[in-house]
C-alpha cells in the first residue's frame, strides 16, 4: 500500500466507498494529500455533519436532515398519489425525469426472505398506517424490475388492494431507442403481453 | 442532485475525489448514509488525521507523517544510490516491482515552464545540496516517459553530470508482452535505437 502507515490507513478507509478498489483508493489518497487538501477538509467535515444530521423522514422514510422531508412537507404536491420506490436515489431519478407531482414512500430496500428482510424491515407497517389514514387514493409501485423488486411490488399490491385502494405498476417494455433484435426475451415477452391498442 | 441540501453538499464534496463525477458521487453519498455509516465515520476521521499529520519528508520530499520517511530512515538501504521519481505513488510502484534497494528523491511533479513550475518548485535545490554532501555516487532518473518527464530528466541529468556523478535513465522500449504490431512509432524507434547485443 504505502510505506507510511497513516497513508495506508487512508487508502484502506477510502475503500469503503462503492466501486473503489485498492488502486483507485491509492490514487485518491495521494491526490487528496498532494493537490486537494481544501477539498479533503470540506469532505471530512461534510461527512461528519451528514452522519450527525441525516436520518429518515418520518412520513416517507427517505434520507432527510429534517423530521419531514421537503417533498412530504410540500403542500403543493398531489396528496392522494403515492409512489413506492426502493431507495432515495430512485426518488431523485423520478423527480428528474417524470412530471410526477404526487408523494413518495421509500422502502429503503426490498423484500428478501433469504437475507431475513421482511415486510417490517422495509416499512410496510408504516405504509399500511399511512394508507389507513385515508388520504391516498392511488399507489404507484415503482420498485425495480428485478426479481426482488417484482416480488416486493406483488406483495405490496395485494396489501393495497385488500384495503380497496387503486394500485398500479410502472409499465415494462422495450426501452425507447431500444432495438428489437437486442432486446432480451423476458422484456420482449412483457412488451408483447402489455401491448396497447393505438 | 438531491432534495436534501445537506445530501447535495455531501455529493458535491465527494466530487473532489479524482475520477468521481456527479452520478458516482450521488451513489457514494447514498451508499455511505444508507449502508456504510461506520466506514464513513472512519473515513472522515482518517482524512482529518492525515491532513494534520502528513507532510513531506525532509530528505526525499515524499509524503510522510514523520520528519524523515521510513525509507530514508532505513540504514539497510544502499546509501549511495538515488532514484529520482515524480510522485510518492511512483515510489510505491518501484518498491513493489523492482529489487531496488537504494534511496529515493521525489520531485512532487515535473518541470513545466508554461505552468510556472521551475527547478525550485520540484526541489532541485534540495537535490543539489544532497548530491553536494557527497554520499551519492549514482543517480537513476525515473521520471515518466512523457514529454515533461523527459525534459525534467534531461535537465536533472545535466545538473548531476556537472557535479561529476554517474547518472542513468530507465530503459525505454517495448513493454513485456507487447506486440510489435501494436507498439506506437515513438516507442518502436526508441526500442530500435536502444537495441542491445545478445
Amino acid at each position: 500500500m504505502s510505506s507510511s502507515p497513516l497513508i495506508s490507513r487512508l487508502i484502506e478507509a477510502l475503500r469503503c466507498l462503492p466501486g473503489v478498489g485498492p488502486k483507485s483508493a491509492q490514487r485518491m489518497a495521494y491526490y487528496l494529500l498532494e493537490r486537494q487538501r481544501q477539498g479533503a477538509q470540506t469532505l471530512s467535515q461534510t461527512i461528519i455533519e451528514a452522519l450527525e444530521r441525516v436520518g429518515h423522514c418520518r412520513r416517507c422514510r427517505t434520507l432527510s436532515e429534517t423530521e419531514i422531508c421537503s417533498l412530504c412537507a410540500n403542500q403543493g404536491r398531489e396528496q392522494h398519489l403515492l409512489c413506492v420506490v426502493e431507495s432515495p436515489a430512485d426518488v431523485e431519478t423520478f423527480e428528474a425525469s417524470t412530471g410526477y407531482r404526487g408523494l413518495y414512500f421509500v422502502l429503503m430496500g426490498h423484500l428478501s426472505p433469504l437475507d431475513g428482510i421482511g415486510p417490517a424491515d422495509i416499512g410496510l407497517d408504516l405504509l399500511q398506517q399511512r394508507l389507513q389514514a385515508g388520504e391516498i387514493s392511488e399507489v404507484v409501485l415503482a420498485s425495480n424490475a428485478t426479481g426482488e423488486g417484482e416480488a416486493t411490488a406483488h406483495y405490496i399490491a395485494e396489501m393495497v388492494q385488500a384495503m380497496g385502494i387503486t394500485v398500479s405498476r410502472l409499465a415494462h417494455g422495450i426501452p425507447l431507442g431500444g432495438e428489437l433484435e437486442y432486446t432480451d426475451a423476458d422484456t420482449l415477452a412483457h412488451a408483447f403481453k402489455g401491448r396497447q391498442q393505438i
Side-chain angles (χ1 to χ4, degrees), chain A:
Chain A
M1 302 271 280
S2 167
S3 29
S4 145
L6 183 49
I7 299 179
S8 295
R9 269 171 49 215
L10 179 57
I11 294 171
E12 194 51 42
L14 282 161
R15 294 200 51 196
C16 80
L17 296 169
V20 175
K23 199 72 194 172
S24 328
Q26 192 193 43
R27 181 166 155 242
M28 286 175 172
Y30 285 124
Y31 181 83
L32 290 181
L33 291 170
E34 284 169 40
R35 273 179 280 178
Q36 189 56 279
R37 290 194 167 228
Q38 186 55 54
Q41 192 85 46
T42 306
L43 176 59
S44 59
Q45 282 158 357
T46 314
I47 291 174
I48 289 170
E49 199 183 334
L51 287 176
E52 258 172 30
R53 290 178 44 206
V54 174
H56 293 277
C57 169
R58 271 175 48 191
R59 292 196 77 197
C60 76
R61 301 184 90 225
T62 197
L63 291 171
S64 168
E65 70 257 41
T66 45
E67 274 211 14
I68 303 291
C69 75
S70 60
L71 285 167
C72 284
N74 182 349
Q75 289 298 320
R77 314 272 310 190
E78 295 179 36
Q79 304 288 318
H80 65 280
L81 259 179
L82 190 71
C83 178
V84 179
V85 296
E86 289 188 24
S87 76
D90 293 338
V91 173
E92 306 306 331
T93 309
F94 228 79
E95 286 294 294
S97 53
T98 65
Y100 182 73
R101 294 289 301 157
L103 299 170
Y104 292 93
F105 188 85
V106 183
L107 301 171
M108 300 298 296
H110 44 237
L111 288 177
S112 183
L114 288 179
D115 301 318
I117 299 173
D121 301 304
I122 57 170
L124 296 192
D125 42 353
L126 187 65
L127 177 61
Q128 194 156 28
Q129 283 169 31
R130 175 94 172 260
L131 298 175
Q132 276 163 348
E135 273 202 75
I136 307 295
S137 62
E138 182 181 347
V139 173
V140 182
L141 297 176
S143 52
N144 290 328
T146 56
E148 294 96 338
E150 292 295 343
T152 306
H154 186 77
Y155 186 95
I156 300 175
E158 290 199 335
M159 179 180 110
V160 179
Q161 278 162 342
M163 301 172 80
I165 296 170
T166 308
V167 58
S168 58
R169 177 92 174 106
L170 291 190
H172 292 333
I174 301 159
L176 292 193
E179 295 187 42
L180 220 66
E181 187 180 349
Y182 301 110
T183 304
D184 67 287
D186 283 349
T187 302
L188 200 53
H190 257 292
F192 182 74
K193 217 168 103 187
R195 66 192 180 279
Q196 300 188 326
Q197 201 169 349
I198 49 171

